[in-house]
Amino acid sequence: MLKAVLLDISGVLHEDGAPLPGAVAAVARLQAAGLVLRFVTNTSRKTGDRVHADLRGMGFEVDREQVFTAPAAVRHYLVRHGLRPYLLIHEGLEPEFADLAGDDPDAVVLGDAESRLDYRHLDEAFQCLQRGAPLLTVGTNRYFRQQGSLHLDVGPFVRALEYAADTRATVLGKPAAGFFRAVLDDAGVTPEQAMMVGDDVDCDVAAAREVGLGACLVRSGKYRPGDEARAPGAECEDGLAALVTRLLAREA
């Protein structure tokens, strides 16, 4: 029996800050049915507090404790291992790491840094990696959708630094199995009792399936025709509202 639903945020609940049709009501229906909800995102242009505030502002009844972000997982890793990060991140994310020492960095944190992903900053990160610093990243997403078109995400830059420094990044958000397991542990469910809903066939859907979760790919956000073939065994729906209608009918 389904006990928990993990919801990606951008592309599933909203696009460009506007709720997708029926999404607010769909979340409310899941809550009314007693399902445990967790809202999971790799976004690295906002702090977790900002993600939560934005969801509330759009009408989603979400508690802060239900929101899990990849940058928060990176921060937890840095603190646990006593690392001093070189932060190649978006300025909007800086408050998430503001209290961590960055002098003489011994780790590189790479996020979707937008205009900061230039030669100078990438080369500074490369110099740290050459000195033996580990490369930590929020995810390996190839692209994201904004204002109707796809844009480069952090994944291509992760691969560039891995290649240049002959290293492997530690991925702390999706599609890392550890991220999904941490969310499941917090929700108090096993993989077989949970479903992941996302618009990214690789980092949301296929990755969740590998951990043992049920998964549904929605045809919104960054979805592109043919993505279904890359996630065998996953369900597919036009949007969250259609999925919730079918799930609740099935669970009744």
Side-chain angles (χ1 to χ4, degrees), residues 9 39-44 46-48 51 67-78 93 96-97 109-111 136-141 154 170-176 179 183:
I9 296 177
F39 301 84
V40 296
T41 178
N42 272 10
T43 187
S44 55
K46 302 176 183 179
T47 65
V51 170
V67 177
F68 282 75
T69 71
V74 173
R75 175 190 164 80
H76 181 70
Y77 186 96
L78 291 168
L93 190 60
E96 193 90 48
F97 302 93
V109 172
L110 181 60
L136 311 177
T137 185
V138 295
T140 54
N141 303 72
V154 68
T170 297
V171 180
L172 294 163
K174 299 175 292 180
F179 182 80
V183 177

Side-chain angles (χ1 to χ4, degrees), residues 57-175:
M58 286 182 269
F60 293 99
E61 294 295 329
V62 179
D63 293 332
R64 176 63 182 88
E65 294 75 18
Q66 293 176 291
V67 177
F68 282 75
T69 71
V74 173
R75 175 190 164 80
H76 181 70
Y77 186 96
L78 291 168
V79 172
R80 187 168 76 246
H81 293 276
L83 295 170
R84 302 180 304 277
Y86 173 80
L87 297 169
L88 185 42
I89 60 174
H90 192 275
E91 61 183 359
L93 190 60
E94 289 177 348
E96 193 90 48
F97 302 93
D99 61 332
L100 299 185
D103 299 334
D104 189 23
D106 56 5
V108 172
V109 172
L110 181 60
D112 173 18
E114 199 176 19
S115 60
R116 293 180 177 179
L117 288 168
D118 56 16
Y119 180 84
R120 180 175 69 84
H121 288 99
L122 286 166
D123 192 58
E124 288 175 356
F126 172 68
Q127 299 302 321
C128 289
L129 297 174
Q130 286 285 286
R131 296 193 294 270
L135 175 60
L136 311 177
T137 185
V138 295
T140 54
N141 303 72
R142 298 175 181 179
Y143 45 77
F144 62 92
R145 185 177 177 87
Q146 186 176 59
Q147 296 180 349
S149 60
L150 300 179
H151 300 270
L152 283 173
D153 208 327
V154 68
F157 300 95
V158 173
R159 296 294 181 246
L161 285 176
E162 285 182 325
Y163 174 73
D166 192 21
T167 189
R168 293 291 294 176
T170 297
V171 180
L172 294 163
K174 299 175 292 180

Side-chain angles (χ1 to χ4, degrees), residues 162-232:
E162 285 182 325
Y163 174 73
D166 192 21
T167 189
R168 293 291 294 176
T170 297
V171 180
L172 294 163
K174 299 175 292 180
F179 182 80
F180 286 105
R181 293 191 184 108
V183 177
L184 293 172
D185 287 346
D186 183 79
V189 298
T190 65
E192 296 76 16
Q193 296 170 324
M195 170 177 279
M196 174 69 204
V197 184
D199 65 328
D200 188 315
V201 65
D202 297 314
C203 292
D204 292 338
V205 178
R209 292 288 297 159
E210 289 181 5
V211 180
L213 285 82
C216 181
L217 177 67
V218 291
R219 299 185 186 96
S220 55
K222 68 176 72 172
Y223 165 84
R224 295 193 293 177
D227 281 349
E228 298 95 329
R230 293 158 54 196

